[in-house]
Amino acid sequence: MLGIGKRKLLLLSGLFQEELANGHYNPYPSFSFTGSLRPVYPLSPKRTVPAHISRPDYSEDGNPKSERKFIGRNNIKILDKKEQEGMRKACRIGREVLDVVAREVRPGVTTDYLDEVTHNASIERNSYPSPLNYVHFPKSVCTSVNEVICHGIPDQRVLLDGDIINIDVTVYHGGFHGDLNETYYVGTKASADPDIVRLVETTRECLDQGIQLVKPGMLFRDIGGVIEKHAKSRGCGVVKTYCGHGINQLFHTAPNVPHYAKNKAVGIAKPGMCFTIEPMITLGTYKDKTWPDDWTSVTQDGSKTAQFEHTLLVTETGVEVLTARLSDSPGGPIPIPDTKHDD
């Protein structure tokens, strides 16, 4: 039987009924959550990866040793033609996996189910789901709902009509990581809400405008200015804590790619460099707060937030979007409602 103190806390968390009915619970009942979202535990057991699948160095102990060798260095790797092909293949697989998962997004499914789909789709393509055990992250995909900026841990929460969810997929295949994410409307209520549509479509456009800058000679610090200008023109904020990153044989490496203006990012784009742009845009404050799980990052005011990400390759003449959408990819842009009214 629960003690009186815990019973009260669970009642306050809104999960007491669920605790009694099916064993689900909020592991942090005394935490001051910023919005309505709550973790719904227990987490499912860690998913296994068949022995024949190549895996990154952190798969067993959670320590990305190869990455730590490069911390504090600003040397940006230039991939040769063979390495570029390796990145293309990993990114194509990443796109396939994200599309498989996105087709399962609907009211009534849990984020844990989406994790299972991600894991299985990766394994079926002889790929390791890169988030799994990366610095001890417990799942194979990040699922960030509503006020979650990034790094949401899939759990037993059921998606509701009116939610938005970001699904961040990375696969490790042939020694390379392919990283991408998109935000999706759940059901019909979210896509009918003018503010939510403004947020999601503005974020999508922020990524597109950032990509348009990319070519040899571009300063990595310039991307943030374009993104912040567009976000602010739509009344949205830009998260500053998290940024895009270099990616190749390493999941995260140089360069850092901030999404806000007047940043101090180091580096100039050159052909053969691979990196991500992944703006996180909010309806309210840009400031973040982290849940006690040490992963889930949320807006401090509980406002909704969206994100989109592509992995990019700098070419001799411009940029190749390695994780580009396919003709049948689910989701995609919808019109932003005109909320202006004549007097």
Side-chain angles (χ1 to χ4, degrees), residues 8-246:
K8 287 182 178 179
L9 288 170
L10 285 168
L11 280 166
L12 288 171
S13 73
L15 288 170
F16 183 59
Q17 295 295 323
E18 207 165 23
E19 170 82 2
L20 289 176
N22 54 22
H24 293 171
Y25 63 94
N26 172 5
Y28 315 115
S30 61
F31 180 71
S32 179
F33 291 94
T34 64
S36 60
L37 195 74
R38 299 291 184 273
V40 183
Y41 277 45
L43 298 183
S44 59
K46 181 181 177 182
R47 305 190 195 281
T48 59
V49 177
H52 72 274
I53 290 180
S54 176
R55 57 199 70 205
D57 65 357
Y58 54 81
S59 64
E60 296 299 325
D61 65 4
N63 178 20
K65 295 174 284 294
S66 298
E67 287 186 11
R68 299 195 189 283
K69 295 177 183 177
F70 291 89
I71 291 176
R73 300 183 187 180
N74 292 317
N75 294 331
I76 303 171
K77 182 166 184 171
I78 294 178
L79 304 182
D80 62 28
K81 296 299 182 183
K82 184 177 180 180
E83 290 172 320
Q84 290 175 29
E85 278 305 310
M87 283 297 298
R88 286 190 181 94
K89 187 167 185 179
C91 288
R92 282 196 297 269
I93 292 171
R95 165 52 65 184
E96 290 177 12
V97 172
L98 178 60
D99 288 355
V100 168
V101 182
R103 291 187 180 99
E104 299 299 317
V105 171
R106 64 181 65 89
V109 306
T110 65
T111 51
D112 182 70
Y113 170 69
L114 299 180
D115 179 73
E116 180 183 7
V117 173
T118 302
H119 189 88
N120 292 341
S122 301
I123 299 305
E124 289 167 5
R125 290 161 176 80
N126 289 312
S127 302
Y128 182 94
S130 301
L132 185 62
N133 211 34
Y134 178 79
V135 196
H136 307 291
F137 188 81
K139 294 297 174 183
S140 297
V141 67
C142 296
T143 52
S144 300
V145 178
N146 295 341
E147 68 264 28
V148 180
I149 296 167
C150 59
H151 303 157
I153 297 175
D155 63 14
Q156 308 305 324
R157 183 187 182 274
V158 171
L159 293 180
L160 304 175
D161 190 1
D163 286 343
I164 55 173
I165 181 171
N166 178 271
I167 303 174
D168 193 340
V169 164
T170 312
V171 299
Y172 181 75
H173 183 92
F176 296 88
H177 296 272
D179 189 4
L180 73 162
N181 74 54
E182 293 194 26
T183 298
Y184 302 93
Y185 302 99
V186 181
T188 58
K189 290 182 180 178
S191 58
D193 185 309
D195 285 333
I196 292 177
V197 174
R198 170 168 57 90
L199 168 68
V200 174
E201 299 308 323
T202 297
T203 309
R204 193 191 312 269
E205 293 168 3
C206 282
L207 173 58
D208 291 342
Q209 292 195 15
I211 292 171
Q212 289 174 13
L213 279 186
V214 180
K215 62 181 180 181
M218 176 205 69
L219 301 177
F220 287 109
R221 66 172 180 255
D222 288 347
I223 293 171
V226 170
I227 288 173
E228 184 169 314
K229 180 179 179 180
H230 188 61
K232 285 188 172 180
S233 76
R234 296 274 178 77
C236 295
V238 181
V239 173
K240 297 183 178 182
T241 302
Y242 304 97
C243 62
H245 54 89

